[in-house]
Amino acid sequence: MEFSPDSKSWRDDLASLVEDSGIILPGDPVRAAAVEVEEEEEEEVTTSGGRESLKDQIKGFAAAWGEMVVELGRGLRDVVQQTVLTEDSYAVKRMRGPMAQVAERVKYLNEFLPEDRHPLHVWAVFLFVFMIALAVLNVNSRYESYISTTKKVYIHPPSAARILLSDGRYIAYHEMGVPADKARFTIVTPHGFLSSRLAGVPGIKQSLLEEFGVRVVSYDLPGFGESAPHTTRNLISSAFDMLQLADSIGVEGKFWVLGYSSGAVHAWAALKYIPDKIAGAAMLAPLVNPYEQSMTKEERSRTWENWSRRKRLMYYLARRFPNFLSYFYGRMFLSGKHGRVDKWLSVSLGKKDKSLVEKLVFEEIWHRNVEESIRQGNVKPFVEEAMLQVSNWGFSLTELQAQRKCPRKSLLPWLQFMYGLPECEMTGFLGQIHIWQGMDDMVVPPSIADYIARVLPNASVHRLPEEGHFSYFVLCDECHREILSTLFGFPRGPLDTTDRNHDVQEIPDEAADTASV
């Protein structure tokens, strides 16, 4: 049987009956060539597609790493659950009791949760959201507080009365109370650090001073306010500045000295160097030299541990490296902006002090005093004042103790008898010393009052429970009345013509009855 060339082979007949299965039979070169062409085209498409999908490969790599991190977290969770959170672990044993009590107390809150949610998951989400909201509110409040409390320093025009001292310097002063010719008692008060003559007794009423017949004279220390600086000032010059001021403004007889906080340093100097002109002393939260050698180790330790690290650093620099204080003071209260009293003085505050300094009237008094204190824009007086507080005073508080001093036995006692020489004399400060100390004072700690009571046993120490550094002295009408009553007895008003013949600066008998230790 013969077949023509144009006739189909048996393979073509078979392929027409079934679909192409992709199987290449031997002896079919056409089909094999077609398959090779198709494979080459697929390789080209795959290769070109790889070059275009590099971003997809990176995404796939990142997804793989993400899956690995998730699996790692799950593994760590399982390890913690199997080790730390087991019934026998130390953490679970310690926390089981307290957590059970807390859960029992707040269990009733679960009634308000959705029924299809587990309480543990819900409260975890609630706590997380609450913490985020609290952080946001805290940041906003801090920002708003900073904006609202930032205030630039304003230097007021000169307004002080001044006297000329013997060395050519001027001292600025301020008076309150009754006039000089009607004053039964005169109180002279040096101001503390970062303050001025305008402080006096902050918030004391004019009517109260008139009721007791008291004249209060406050003055600017050298270089502060409107007082001229002193190139070589010390505590001796400070005492005699006070004496010249009293003589120049017409103080007859003796006067009282009031020392508050670091202003007490100059009051102690007055008791030492001009005791014959001082009728008595009122000390409120008085500062002493924290490096005083007569302090015991325990007293010094109790004093220093109550101060903040910044306060201790400032005292250390004032004693060892005072030149560094210029940098700190220049960035603080000499920066031209106002700040909080605890920040500017590098101190902490007790409960009542924190409440007081938040009041607007206190802020106004504080800002006005700071403005007057730094009006000269010179950092040197502040450095000098810090150095005076911690340097060698030239005397110890033990020397102020009133005591009888007798001369050594002489070989010729009959000479003393013939010439009437006194056998013994009283030394130290003979007047009254009253000390008021807040037991919640974190600026001048109560341990300092304990030290003063030990070295000056004749001083009357009034310990004030729950009172701070400012709360008993600033803007406290009842406190001011108690202080004046303790010092001067019952109020007798200003002097009249019949009283001028008496020594108006003597201590009345009623004051001794009202004093308490």
Side-chain angles (χ1 to χ4, degrees):
M1 183 177 180
E2 296 181 359
F3 295 92
S4 64
D6 297 333
S7 62
K8 296 181 180 181
S9 65
W10 65 271
R11 290 187 180 91
D12 296 333
D13 295 337
L14 180 61
S16 65
L17 297 176
V18 298
E19 295 179 356
D20 186 7
S21 62
I23 300 174
I24 303 175
L25 298 176
D28 192 355
V30 178
R31 181 62 178 167
V35 171
E36 290 178 359
V37 172
E38 292 178 357
E39 290 179 351
E40 291 177 359
E41 292 177 352
E42 289 178 358
E43 290 179 358
E44 291 179 359
V45 172
T46 303
T47 304
S48 62
R51 288 194 299 269
E52 294 176 358
S53 61
L54 179 60
K55 186 180 297 183
D56 295 335
Q57 291 182 7
I58 296 176
K59 290 182 179 179
F61 181 77
W65 265 102
E67 293 177 358
M68 292 176 62
V69 172
V70 171
E71 291 299 327
L72 178 62
R74 291 175 179 174
L76 293 175
R77 181 195 62 185
D78 295 340
V79 171
V80 172
Q81 289 179 347
Q82 295 174 12
T83 57
V84 180
L85 301 181
T86 60
E87 294 292 332
D88 298 331
S89 67
Y90 176 79
V92 172
K93 289 181 179 179
R94 295 289 296 178
M95 297 299 297
R96 182 187 294 116
M99 292 301 296
Q101 295 179 2
V102 174
E104 185 65 26
R105 293 184 178 182
V106 300
K107 185 178 180 180
Y108 71 95
L109 296 175
N110 293 334
E111 300 177 0
F112 302 96
L113 301 180
E115 296 181 358
D116 58 342
R117 294 290 186 270
H118 193 280
L120 181 61
H121 296 164
V122 175
W123 286 116
V125 174
F126 174 78
L127 181 61
F128 179 73
V129 174
F130 175 76
M131 291 177 64
I132 293 179
L134 187 63
V136 172
L137 291 175
N138 187 38
V139 171
N140 289 339
S141 64
R142 286 186 178 181
Y143 177 77
E144 293 173 359
S145 176
Y146 176 79
I147 295 298
S148 61
T149 57
T150 301
K151 181 181 177 182
K152 292 185 178 180
V153 171
Y154 173 73
I155 302 302
H156 299 258
S159 59
R162 299 193 304 173
I163 64 166
L164 181 63
L165 302 180
S166 58
D167 59 0
R169 291 182 295 113
Y170 283 95
I171 285 288
Y173 68 96
H174 176 71
E175 291 189 63
M176 290 187 65
V178 300
D181 57 344
K182 294 185 177 181
R184 289 184 180 274
F185 310 99
T186 298
I187 299 177
V188 178
T189 172
H191 60 79
F193 192 83
L194 199 54
S195 189
S196 70
R197 70 184 185 280
L198 301 180
V201 183
I204 193 168
K205 292 183 177 180
Q206 176 74 15
S207 59
L208 181 64
L209 295 175
E210 293 176 353
E211 184 179 347
F212 281 85
V214 175
R215 176 193 188 195
V216 176
V217 180
S218 55
Y219 64 98
D220 289 327
L221 295 173
F224 292 79
E226 297 185 39
S227 289
H230 193 314
T231 56
T232 58
R233 74 184 182 110
N234 51 34
L235 291 184
I236 297 178
S237 66
S238 178
F240 284 96
D241 283 354
M242 188 185 302
L243 178 61
Q244 290 190 64
L245 172 66
D247 292 339
S248 299
I249 61 176
V251 176
E252 298 181 1
K254 296 182 178 181
F255 60 89
W256 287 73
V257 62
L258 186 151
Y260 168 61
S261 191
S262 59
V265 174
H266 304 278
W268 294 125
L271 300 187
K272 168 63 179 178
Y273 295 114
I274 53 171
D276 295 338
K277 294 291 294 183
I278 308 299
M283 303 288 194
L284 290 99
L287 181 69
V288 300
N289 187 347
Y291 294 95
E292 172 60 45
Q293 295 297 323
S294 60
M295 276 188 175
T296 64
K297 184 177 181 180
E298 180 182 0
E299 290 170 342
R300 189 176 292 108
S301 176
R302 289 169 55 199
T303 298
W304 282 91
E305 69 183 8
N306 282 278
W307 283 324
S308 63
R309 293 180 179 178
R310 188 180 181 89
K311 183 71 172 179
R312 285 179 281 182
L313 173 62
M314 291 300 176
Y315 277 145
Y316 177 78
L317 293 178
R319 186 172 176 86
R320 300 296 183 184
F321 308 101
N323 291 333
F324 284 100
L325 291 178
S326 300
Y327 170 78
F328 289 102
Y329 292 166
R331 293 176 60 89
M332 293 167 60
F333 46 81
L334 288 173
S335 63
K337 297 180 180 179
H338 281 297
R340 287 175 55 92
V341 60
D342 52 344
K343 180 182 179 182
W344 266 198
L345 295 179
S346 302
V347 296
S348 302
L349 298 179
K351 183 177 180 180
K352 293 188 72 171
D353 282 344
K354 287 181 179 179
S355 176
L356 177 62
V357 300
E358 295 293 337
K359 295 182 178 180
L360 180 60
V361 61
F362 180 92
E363 182 178 310
E364 292 176 350
I365 292 176
W366 162 251
H367 285 177
R368 184 65 182 91
N369 261 307
V370 171
E371 290 171 342
E372 191 63 27
S373 180
I374 65 174
R375 69 177 299 119
Q376 299 186 32
N378 187 7
V379 70
K380 186 178 179 181
F382 296 93
V383 176
E384 292 173 346
E385 188 68 14
M387 293 173 60
L388 283 178
Q389 296 175 13
V390 298
S391 61
N392 184 6
W393 288 3
F395 66 94
S396 174
L397 292 190
T398 56
E399 301 176 24
L400 302 180
Q401 172 61 27
Q403 53 186 339
R404 185 181 299 274
K405 183 178 180 181
C406 299
R408 296 180 180 180
K409 292 183 178 180
S410 173
L411 295 177
L412 301 175
W414 56 275
L415 290 177
Q416 294 181 349
F417 174 78
M418 290 180 59
Y419 290 97
L421 297 178
E423 295 184 359
C424 300
E425 60 179 355
M426 296 296 296
T427 60
F429 180 68
L430 306 181
Q432 294 187 26
I433 301 177
H434 289 273
I435 299 170
W436 284 267
Q437 176 64 55
M439 302 309 293
D440 195 29
D441 191 341
M442 303 179 69
V443 181
V444 178
S447 57
I448 290 183
D450 296 337
Y451 160 73
I452 297 174
R454 179 177 67 82
V455 298
L456 296 177
N458 292 337
S460 300
V461 181
H462 311 267
R463 294 177 172 85
L464 311 169
E466 301 182 359
E467 295 290 349
H469 189 72
F470 302 100
S471 59
Y472 193 78
F473 184 63
V474 182
L475 302 172
C476 182
D477 296 338
E478 180 182 354
C479 309
H480 298 158
R481 179 173 290 276
E482 288 181 359
I483 293 172
L484 295 184
S485 298
T486 302
L487 298 179
F488 309 126
F490 65 87
R492 293 185 290 173
L495 282 175
D496 55 27
T497 55
T498 59
D499 293 324
R500 295 182 190 277
N501 298 326
H502 301 283
D503 187 358
V504 298
Q505 300 297 339
E506 291 296 330
I507 306 170
D509 296 336
E510 293 82 357
D513 298 333
T514 57
S516 59
V517 179

